[in-house]
Amino acid sequence: MSKFLTVKPANLTQISKKYGGKFPFWQVYRTIDGREEVRSHGMSQMPVWGPRFRAESGGNDPGAKAQAAGRILSLVFYLQHLQN
């Protein structure tokens, strides 16, 4: 799918390297949640996972928000684990 993106996708195992050896935990969280734009995603055709996870959890109530936050945290911890 990378050939359809306007910018080559990042190597997600090199996030820490890009930031001087420190994994930008909360920046990655906000990116997955949709609060930070991802240039390669273009015009937001790529799903924003925060709203998608909340919708799958039942909406905008506190329980759904907590469940969505937990899923995003799991992804961020996984990405942090992948760093070389």
Side-chain angles (χ1 to χ4, degrees):
M1 293 303 297
S2 65
K3 66 183 176 182
F4 298 109
L5 297 175
T6 56
V7 176
K8 183 179 176 186
N11 181 342
L12 298 177
T13 67
Q14 302 294 308
I15 298 170
S16 290
K17 184 177 180 181
K18 179 180 175 183
Y19 289 91
K22 182 168 171 38
F23 185 76
F25 190 92
W26 291 110
Q27 182 178 353
V28 172
Y29 182 98
R30 289 187 305 272
T31 300
I32 294 170
D33 185 55
R35 287 181 269 171
E36 289 204 18
E37 279 189 35
V38 179
R39 197 173 54 142
S40 62
H41 289 177
M43 299 298 294
S44 296
Q45 293 171 353
M46 184 74 164
V48 176
W49 294 105
R52 167 82 49 99
F53 288 159
R54 282 191 297 276
E56 288 177 4
S57 299
N60 254 346
D61 64 78
K65 288 180 180 180
Q67 189 173 13
R71 291 177 75 182
I72 294 168
L73 284 170
S74 293
L75 287 170
V76 176
F77 281 120
Y78 176 71
L79 290 171
Q80 187 176 33
H81 174 76
L82 290 178
Q83 302 310 294
N84 293 331

